[in-house]
Amino acid sequence: MKHGKYPFILSFLALPVGLYAWLVIVPFAQAFQISLTDWSGSSNQFNYIGFENYANLFKDDRLVLPAIRHTAIILVVLPVVTIALGLFFAFMLNIGGRSRQGRIEGVRGSRFHKIVFFFPQVLSVAIIGILWKQVYAPEGFGGLITGALRAVGLPAPANGFLADKRFVLASVIAVLVWSAVGFYLVFFSSAMASIPRDLYEAGIVDGAGRFQTFFKITLPLLWDSVQTAWIYLSIIALDVFVLVYMMTPDRGGPDGASEVVGGVIWKYAFNKGEQAFASALGVVLFFAALSLAVVALRFGRRERIEL
């Protein structure tokens, strides 16, 4: 400290900032550089062609446009459904129980329920994809859902849910929600724990029901947490290709019914040998995620409530 406070702080920040720049910023900059070339990914020669790859982003209407449409659907559905379920379950587990001796409590066994809900978080995406691929499989291959539907006399897709264009995208979204809702239940529960119980007790004394308690007390005080969850879930929605890769036929099928932007990047980079075009798509996806975060922070801003 004898050399001053700022040199002391910089001495600790130099290594982590340097590693971050080397492992994160430099690869992003290199991807942008590659996107300005005609590099195929399999040679050491390339020519700079400017923004031609960006001008041709929509040259493949059969692959790119459906992927953008499916990604947009996931981008809307995943945050809305996951946050709604996370808030509902967190509210019930923390505040939804009966009042005992004038105190507001959650439902019985709330700690056990939190562990059960959080369990998908300890599984890798690959395991989740393989697990649910079997759950959605046809009845003849041991599919759990198709077998249960047939057992009670209800119709089920003959080739399973993932081989049916009508159900494959909804099936993937359902798995995304299932795998994410437990984390946000715990996230919202920890935020609710900081809300004084006196506020809830005062509301109940004034005649407020559970519905009014949630929208008048809980949600306004959790708005910052909801905003953070929305940003993270939006980023997950844009980066959903790993699950699609593991679950769906043809890694985005059938017939492109579950294709997403990440899948298009992968196919152009490794199947079509157009690494530069794939880099251009990746750069656009990066700026789309960054723009979503900025918009969510800017337009979701509310006056902070002090307790």
Side-chain angles (χ1 to χ4, degrees):
M1 293 292 288
K2 65 180 180 179
H3 298 292
K5 178 175 65 175
Y6 294 108
F8 179 76
I9 294 174
L10 290 175
S11 66
F12 282 97
L13 291 178
L15 180 60
V17 170
L19 288 174
Y20 182 82
W22 179 39
L23 298 175
V24 178
I25 297 177
V26 171
F28 273 124
Q30 190 175 23
F32 180 74
Q33 178 191 10
I34 293 171
S35 71
L36 302 176
T37 70
D38 60 355
W39 187 47
S40 65
S42 58
S43 68
N44 59 356
Q45 297 179 350
F46 56 85
N47 300 309
Y48 282 95
I49 58 175
F51 291 92
E52 184 177 331
N53 288 319
Y54 294 93
N56 295 329
L57 282 178
F58 303 106
K59 67 177 182 180
D60 191 349
D61 295 343
R62 186 184 61 84
L63 191 62
V64 176
L65 291 181
I68 294 175
R69 183 171 63 252
H70 298 153
T71 303
I73 293 172
I74 297 172
L75 188 60
V76 172
V77 175
L78 177 62
V80 172
V81 176
T82 303
I83 291 174
L85 290 176
L87 284 171
F88 172 76
F89 290 131
F91 184 78
M92 294 302 296
L93 292 179
N94 288 274
I95 305 152
R98 294 183 178 180
S99 300
R100 297 183 180 93
Q101 298 178 353
R103 297 178 58 188
I104 302 297
E105 297 183 4
V107 297
R108 293 181 181 273
S110 58
R111 294 182 180 179
F112 172 76
H113 290 306
K114 289 177 184 178
I115 294 173
V116 172
F117 274 104
F118 192 78
F119 178 71
Q121 294 298 312
V122 305
L123 302 176
S124 69
V125 178
I127 294 175
I128 291 173
I130 294 172
L131 172 67
W132 280 93
K133 186 176 182 179
Q134 181 61 36
V135 172
Y136 285 133
E139 183 182 8
F141 291 89
L144 180 62
I145 297 179
T146 52
L149 290 174
R150 294 287 175 83
V152 296
L154 296 175
N159 297 319
F161 286 88
L162 298 178
D164 195 313
K165 294 191 291 185
R166 299 171 298 172
F167 302 114
V168 61
L169 187 61
S171 300
V172 172
I173 294 174
V175 175
L176 285 170
V177 173
W178 174 85
S179 63
V181 71
F183 174 82
Y184 290 97
L185 181 153
V186 176
F187 178 65
F188 292 137
S189 294
S190 58
M192 287 181 188
S194 64
I195 301 175
R197 288 295 187 267
D198 295 344
L199 295 177
Y200 293 112
E201 293 167 4
I204 292 175
V205 169
D206 290 338
R210 298 296 184 188
F211 186 84
Q212 293 173 315
T213 300
F214 175 78
F215 284 99
K216 298 296 184 181
I217 299 176
T218 305
L219 187 58
L221 294 174
L222 291 184
W223 187 253
D224 287 344
S225 299
V226 172
Q227 188 181 51
T228 302
W230 194 284
I231 293 172
Y232 279 116
L233 285 167
S234 297
I235 294 172
I236 291 173
L238 293 174
D239 191 27
V240 72
F241 171 63
V242 176
L243 191 62
V244 173
Y245 181 96
M246 297 301 302
M247 288 181 59
T248 61
D250 299 326
R251 296 158 187 170
D255 297 329
S258 61
E259 193 68 80
V260 291
V261 175
V264 176
I265 294 173
W266 185 88
K267 289 176 180 178
Y268 268 99
F270 300 104
N271 288 354
K272 297 178 179 290
E274 298 185 34
Q275 192 73 238
F277 184 77
S279 296
L281 281 170
V283 171
V284 171
L285 189 64
F286 165 73
F287 281 107
L290 186 63
S291 300
L292 283 171
V294 172
V295 169
L297 289 172
R298 177 66 181 85
F299 292 98
R301 186 181 303 168
R302 286 189 176 186
E303 184 179 353
R304 186 175 295 274
I305 300 174
E306 300 291 343
L307 297 178

